Amino acid sequence: MAKPAAHELDDIRQELEAGEWLSLEDGVRLFESRDIHTLGEMANSLREKLHGRVAYYNINRHINYTNYCVLRCKFCSFYRPYPKPGVDGAAGQDASNGGYELSIDEIVAQAKAAYARGATEAHIVGGLHPKLPFSYYTDMCSAIREACPHMHIKAFTAIEIIHFARIAKPRLLIEEVLTRLRDAGLDSLPGGGAEIFDERVHGEAFKSKVGEAQWFDVHRAAHELGIFTNATMLYGHMETPAERVKHLIKLREHQQESLEACSAHFNCVIPLSFIPEGSELSHLHGPSGLDDLRTLAISRLMCPNIPHIKAFWIMHTPKIAQVSLNWGVDDIDGTVVYYDITKREGQGTTHQEMGVDRLKRLIVEAGCEPIERDTLYRRVIRDTNTWRIKDEPWSVAYDPCTGAHE
Ligand code: V47
């Protein structure tokens, strides 16, 4: 009998089956291959090896405390310049350019409302505000901790942490910033601000933002302190496939160091699909659905030592997030509720909410078992109006009827 013809991706499949890490060249070939079925199938096989048919979601609330930012990143449609005194009027909600900053009371009210509806996580990020003191951020964490004792506070990207170290009086080391925030109630760091780790892309799209070395310094310090973090990759703007693959390789190398030397590490990679609308790069198309699936699958294959791959439905759309559950992804994030940084699902409004029923339906229709997780991927167990984390002695009462989560 004739031997079946060798397939163009056979060698990559063999490397994966042997548990080897794929090279830069392998990753680029996966981006170039027209055989998207084999790519999806290989990513799904690794996903199933790690998580079976389970797919995670969570009940969370995003809070964006300000859109004032000292940076002017070309890909960002969220930032507003801080008003100059006597020119644009007073800072705050009424500023003429759409800028805002929330008071601690407003932030706590948002967190409390979500907690009362059963949310397990507050995801808090904002622009680099030129005026707010470091105490604003520690006060924010301690006030939420007091009002919502078991709510996981996942807050502040690496870029914000570096900003806090600079504005604190006297200046602080990264470790000191993290320790003070943790003492005030911070639990983990989200993965934002990584964009693409490449000098060329950095120079063109987000020149004034701190670079790769400092992003990793913050995550290294967090991991050494036992604080878990996430990692992102913002793709589909000015980068090449090779630059995406190099970014993923840097993440897995850092992860290996943390796994070997630290008590915490990256929990997940979140490839973020660039949304051009409203940004200085609005002339670009942004990634296609196929590019999204390819990038999610390749992220799974390039980073076998990072446990989870998350498709953030706000940026991928619920439809792509659902399909990606068979392309390497095991997590579609959460209820979100309000999201200011990009607007697609909400057709221009910041109210971008997905009910638990819809999250579960997307997962079940994809042939997976929906599991509610907390931020650290521990199982959340719900009764009619209490929730608890497996193996924890406490439980939280909530009222499922006060909102649209159910
Ligand atoms: O840091 C900014 C990106 C990030 C655009 O850790 C854009 O669980 C697409 O990091 N199009 C914030 N993306 C979001 C983020 C995140 C989201 C969900 C979960 C987690 C997590 C983290 O969004 C920014 C930036 O990289 N971003 N502008 C844009 N136009």
Side-chain angles (χ1 to χ4, degrees):
M1 214 166 71
K3 238 171 112 190
H7 185 278
E8 55 156 325
L9 299 178
D10 273 352
D11 56 328
I12 294 185
R13 184 190 291 281
Q14 279 160 17
E15 287 175 64
L16 289 167
E17 282 170 1
E20 287 166 26
W21 283 7
L22 300 185
S23 64
L24 169 62
E25 194 205 348
D26 293 334
V28 173
R29 273 175 59 209
L30 290 173
F31 269 109
E32 286 166 355
S33 170
R34 295 196 58 194
D35 187 354
I36 56 164
H37 302 288
T38 300
L39 168 63
E41 183 250 312
M42 291 191 303
N44 186 52
S45 214
L46 180 53
R47 176 232 193 274
E48 289 198 351
K49 199 164 132 195
L50 295 168
H51 307 291
R53 294 303 299 164
V54 160
Y56 295 98
Y57 69 93
N58 73 341
I59 299 188
N60 63 352
R61 165 78 202 239
H62 282 246
I63 302 174
N64 301 126
Y65 55 87
T66 185
N67 59 357
Y68 289 126
C69 190
V70 297
L71 301 179
R72 306 280 177 268
C73 300
K74 283 191 184 164
F75 62 79
C76 181
S77 56
F78 173 62
Y79 78 81
R80 294 290 178 274
Y82 191 71
K84 293 190 195 82
V87 178
D88 302 321
Q93 212 75 30
D94 298 326
S96 55
N97 66 356
Y100 70 87
E101 65 200 36
L102 301 183
S103 67
I104 304 286
D105 285 349
E106 287 169 317
I107 294 167
V108 172
Q110 292 188 12
K112 263 173 92 170
Y115 196 56
R117 291 168 64 188
T120 62
E121 170 192 282
H123 178 144
I124 307 170
V125 293
L128 307 189
H129 194 290
K131 300 281 180 205
L132 292 169
F134 181 49
S135 58
Y136 171 86
Y137 306 98
T138 48
D139 289 350
M140 181 195 304
C141 290
S142 49
I144 296 175
R145 178 54 62 243
E146 198 184 329
C148 315
H150 294 292
M151 189 169 218
H152 183 108
I153 304 176
K154 179 176 75 176
F156 313 129
T157 63
I159 313 305
E160 288 160 273
I161 299 292
I162 290 164
H163 176 68
F164 303 163
R166 288 177 180 164
I167 55 142
K169 292 193 174 76
R171 275 176 162 230
L172 294 172
L173 299 171
I174 301 293
E175 294 72 15
E176 292 168 330
V177 171
L178 290 171
T179 306
R180 290 188 194 195
L181 289 168
R182 185 175 61 180
D183 291 347
L186 177 83
D187 291 301
S188 69
L189 299 187
E195 323 315 1
I196 286 283
F197 300 135
D198 179 85
E199 272 181 34
R200 181 192 69 80
V201 183
H202 184 268
E204 285 188 35
F206 38 94
K207 198 163 48 200
S208 47
K209 202 169 208 173
V210 298
E212 156 190 346
Q214 283 161 301
W215 190 93
F216 278 114
D217 284 347
V218 172
H219 286 265
R220 184 175 301 106
H223 295 170
E224 281 170 357
L225 288 167
I227 299 172
F228 284 86
T229 71
N230 293 336
T232 55
M233 170 171 76
L234 176 64
Y235 66 92
H237 42 97
M238 308 176 99
E239 82 295 351
T240 63
E243 285 158 354
R244 290 186 202 178
V245 179
K246 283 186 203 159
H247 180 99
L248 294 167
I249 288 177
K250 287 175 186 170
L251 290 179
R252 81 179 178 199
E253 282 171 354
H254 183 94
Q255 175 78 339
Q256 203 54 29
E257 286 169 25
S258 292
L259 288 170
E260 283 163 16
C262 302
S263 50
H265 51 77
F266 294 127
N267 270 328
C268 66
V269 182
I270 310 138
L272 297 168
S273 183
F274 174 54
I275 299 178
E277 288 83 6
S279 77
E280 261 188 73
L281 301 177
S282 60
H283 55 286
L284 300 178
H285 298 300
S288 65
L290 190 52
D291 193 13
D292 283 335
L293 286 175
R294 222 186 248 286
T295 307
L296 289 160
I298 294 170
S299 301
R300 175 64 289 165
L301 293 173
M302 293 306 301
C303 299
N305 61 349
I306 302 185
H308 302 279
I309 304 292
K310 184 193 284 191
F312 187 43
W313 61 263
I314 293 265
M315 288 169 194
H316 285 119
T317 74
K319 290 181 185 186
I320 293 288
Q322 180 187 43
V323 176
S324 74
L325 290 171
N326 283 288
W327 279 66
V329 166
D330 62 281
D331 182 7
I332 56 170
D333 201 76
T335 45
V336 179
V337 188
Y338 285 92
Y339 196 71
D340 293 6
I341 298 176
T342 55
K343 303 175 189 77
R344 174 183 275 162
E345 176 72 357
Q347 272 117 32
T349 80
T350 59
H351 187 194
Q352 306 189 76
E353 178 163 9
M354 172 106 71
V356 170
D357 279 352
R358 186 167 171 213
L359 283 166
K360 282 184 174 170
R361 195 169 62 243
L362 291 175
I363 292 173
V364 170
E365 278 178 3
C368 298
E369 180 196 354
I371 297 288
E372 185 187 341
R373 61 161 178 87
D374 76 346
T375 314
L376 304 177
Y377 290 85
R378 299 176 302 175
R379 288 190 181 211
V380 176
I381 300 161
R382 274 179 203 270
D383 292 327
T384 329
N385 43 21
T386 59
W387 64 265
R388 65 190 173 85
I389 304 291
K390 197 166 173 277
D391 300 330
E392 289 289 350
W394 45 265
S395 68
V396 177
Y398 73 103
D399 181 358
C401 302
T402 55
H405 287 325
E406 291 298 316

